[in-house]
Amino acid sequence: MLPAVALLVSAPVTLQAQVNEKPFVTPEISEWQGAAGSTLPSGRLVVKGKKQQVMPAAERFMADYAALTGQSLELAKGKARPGDIVFEWTSAVKGEEAYRLHIGETITLQASAHRGMVWGAATLLQLTEQSKDHSLPRGIATDQPHYALRGFMLDCGRKYIPMSYLRNLVKVMSYYKMNTLQVHLNDNGFKQYFNDDWAQTQAAFRLECDTYPGLTAPEHYTKQEFIALQELADSCGVEIIPEIDVPAHSLAFTQYKPEIASADYGMDHLDLFNPETYTFVDGLFREYLEGKQPVFRGKRVHIGTDEYSNAKREVVEKFREFTDHYIRFVESYGKQAVCWGALTHAKGSTPVKSDNVVMNIWYNGYADPVDMKKQGYQLVSIPDGYVYIVPAAGYYYDYLNCQYLYEHWTPANIGGATFEADDPAVLGGMFAVWNDHPGNGITVKDIHHRVFPALQTLSVKCWNAGNTTLSYADFKQHADGLREAPTVNELGRLGTPHSEVFAREHVQPGESLPVKEVGFDYTVQFDIELTEAARPGTVLFASDNAIVYLSDPKTGLLGFAHENYLNTFNYTVPVGEKVTLAFEGDNHATKLYVNGQHRQTLDAVTLYVMKPGDKATFLQPSADPFVPTVYKPSAQMHYQRTLFFPLQKAGDFKGQISALKVLNYKAH
């Protein structure tokens, strides 16, 4: 369990009942009228008004409440009793995302739309988890967002992100009232990391495709999985915006069909002068847009249009024609088109439709937001210099500067341009994770560790804009104590801070444990005595996400594997001797201690990529095995060796483990 976080209450007033100050939730409640005392839920939930409008949110709330508290709510009929939770549809609450929460004798949530009900339920759940007895502070909350679009973009093209994580991510976003997830379905690596050869460069399209058999990457989402994700998201108040990125970032398509690649600007650019390019891209979009029940279920579809060359005037005009074509193509299926801002970079005379078109403004040099507003585009603020995460890349942000964003940024700040806080041209804001470096050791767990604090912060800045009352220090202290969502623990957080969270005197080979994994920061320590040498591939501990090997399959050393990455320590566990092993992990490194002594740290290493011209003297002979010394590397990648330690099941080794201790802090 995570630690309870005290509600913010005012100091007692002499001879008067104590009145509750605005309680802490993320994002902050817009308006609060405090009352005295608290209400303990009765264990009953009553639905009023239009039940078909209320029940989906009520049923999800009941499931989340049970997961959060261990107590099931009874769905009751009739008049509400003291302590009952009431979900009520009413037209008196105006706005799709607005809600009113009155905590008095009863706990009454009112809204006029599904999203309002979901957001009010999230507020109730966050208040519940901060109270040891699940009682709620009395008062009236009137809440609605400042910005209509509050979101996150995830690059699933360069790195496959499992559907299980996307489903959990939707739940986390819903818990923090973030209503838009943009799924970037295709992209490619940079060819300098792949021998400067487009044919070898990593590229992927992640969605099942029947129109072009063989186009889809081996790791992908089936159509049914993607539809189910959208249905889950809709129930959680979250819109999925699928993105097919063309005509740049399109290597997955040109590797499949080389004749539509540009001969002038790189194989990751489509040839805009080739009619076959339009035939191919039309067919791709059509597969997911046509029919009464299309694969793309939401109201918006993203057509890409990011970072195409503007080297020649005729290319710019053709790019503008291409952009206009796919805006109208998507609209012909009843969807609203979304695109990346590029029309300052590609300034020209060919008209591009702007009415009812949403534009992600990421860099003002590519699309001047002031000019795009004049042209009539609806703007989404996603400025790269503030909200771009590129894990372990050495550029943009590894982790967002959440304090700066909390104190200084709102979606009205787009690069160097600042709009009025209520400017209707600014729909809202997003942040992004770009997985530019496939193969750099970063796992989904590492990504989520970067996403979660950013998501909490951006939820405030997009819901409340500049209308926050807490200092960043107070916000962070309280936000750190909140869960990701009632049924989600992607961070592997266990117990109260700085504590022993699990212990077992003896662990038998093959035994299942009640703890799946422990995330950063942690120490896992135990005694182990082998009665027989471990064969290559022998598992020590495993979970759905990772394996710790007693003897890894390649070298026979102690090591760990996850997401097709294998990392080894220069250590072999001896036979017939009891040794104490301790693993210590954070978001930078994984350390091994043997009998209390530091043995090895697996931290980030720099991998160099060389062009043929760099090879003159790049190897120096040394003791066997020799180590290459690289001169004038053309590129470098920072390979990460972090680990969420798996504890779900012990492996079938010959020996015994004793004195297992799991700490949620680094002990050494």
Side-chain angles (χ1 to χ4, degrees), residues 408-420:
H408 301 291
W409 184 82
T410 75
N413 307 116
I414 310 179
T418 301
F419 294 82
E420 295 295 329

Side-chain angles (χ1 to χ4, degrees), residues 208-497:
E208 177 187 1
C209 182
D210 298 319
T211 303
Y212 304 114
L215 171 65
T216 305
E219 292 182 307
H220 67 274
Y221 315 120
T222 68
K223 292 179 183 179
Q224 285 304 314
E225 284 177 327
F226 202 73
I227 290 168
L229 172 67
Q230 294 168 90
E231 291 172 343
L232 170 67
D234 185 63
S235 74
C236 294
V238 178
E239 177 188 358
I240 302 293
I241 299 181
E243 179 189 352
I244 298 176
D245 198 359
V246 286
H249 298 268
S250 298
L251 184 61
F253 307 138
T254 63
Q255 285 179 342
Y256 178 81
K257 192 175 179 68
E259 59 267 33
I260 63 173
S262 170
D264 297 319
Y265 307 114
M267 199 171 172
D268 61 343
H269 282 51
L270 299 179
D271 182 354
L272 302 184
F273 295 89
N274 185 348
E276 284 299 309
T277 295
Y278 287 83
T279 301
F280 178 87
V281 178
D282 283 2
L284 189 64
F285 274 103
R286 186 181 294 114
E287 177 165 344
Y288 307 112
L289 291 170
E290 66 182 358
K292 292 183 179 180
Q293 294 293 324
V295 176
F296 290 167
R297 295 293 174 86
K299 63 182 180 180
R300 297 185 176 112
V301 173
H302 204 297
I303 62 170
T305 72
D306 191 24
E307 295 188 299
Y308 199 89
S309 173
N310 68 345
K312 296 179 181 180
R313 172 55 49 197
E314 59 267 28
V315 173
V316 165
E317 299 301 340
K318 204 66 178 175
F319 171 81
R320 294 175 67 87
E321 177 186 321
F322 181 95
T323 302
D324 184 71
H325 173 83
Y326 285 102
I327 288 171
R328 297 178 187 276
F329 190 90
V330 163
E331 289 180 344
S332 72
Y333 289 92
K335 306 295 186 182
Q336 185 180 30
V338 189
C339 61
W340 289 105
L343 297 183
T344 300
H345 175 76
K347 193 171 185 178
S349 59
T350 302
V352 180
K353 187 177 186 296
S354 60
D355 180 51
N356 196 39
V357 176
V358 177
M359 181 177 284
N360 292 52
I361 305 290
W362 69 278
Y363 175 53
N364 294 14
Y366 264 80
D368 179 353
V370 175
D371 186 34
M372 294 304 106
K373 173 188 171 181
K374 289 179 182 177
Q375 292 188 35
Y377 291 99
Q378 299 174 31
L379 311 182
V380 176
S381 177
I382 184 169
D384 61 344
Y386 293 94
V387 296
Y388 268 23
I389 297 171
V390 186
Y395 56 87
Y396 285 128
Y397 292 96
D398 192 22
Y399 288 76
L400 292 189
N401 186 340
C402 290
Q403 180 171 354
Y404 180 88
L405 292 170
Y406 184 88
E407 294 175 346
H408 301 291
W409 184 82
T410 75
N413 307 116
I414 310 179
T418 301
F419 294 82
E420 295 295 329
D422 57 353
D423 193 319
V426 182
L427 284 182
M430 300 177 73
F431 72 107
V433 166
W434 295 100
N435 296 306
D436 285 9
H437 291 174
N440 68 347
I442 288 288
T443 69
V444 172
K445 294 296 184 181
D446 293 307
I447 291 171
H448 188 70
H449 197 260
R450 289 154 171 78
V451 166
F452 185 60
L455 191 148
Q456 286 185 312
T457 303
L458 268 289
S459 77
V460 174
K461 302 308 291 184
C462 293
W463 184 277
N464 303 112
N467 303 316
T468 54
T469 61
L470 296 178
S471 68
Y472 177 74
D474 286 341
F475 162 76
K476 180 170 173 52
Q477 177 187 352
H478 288 80
D480 283 350
L482 290 176
R483 295 170 182 254
E484 297 155 72
T487 60
V488 177
N489 188 15
E490 286 284 348
L491 290 172
R493 295 192 294 182
L494 304 172
T496 56

Side-chain angles (χ1 to χ4, degrees), residues 591-609:
K591 296 181 179 180
L592 172 66
Y593 293 81
V594 179
N595 295 328
Q597 300 298 311
H598 176 248
R599 177 78 185 205
Q600 190 176 2
T601 296
L602 298 184
D603 54 6
V605 294
T606 303
L607 305 180
Y608 293 100
V609 181

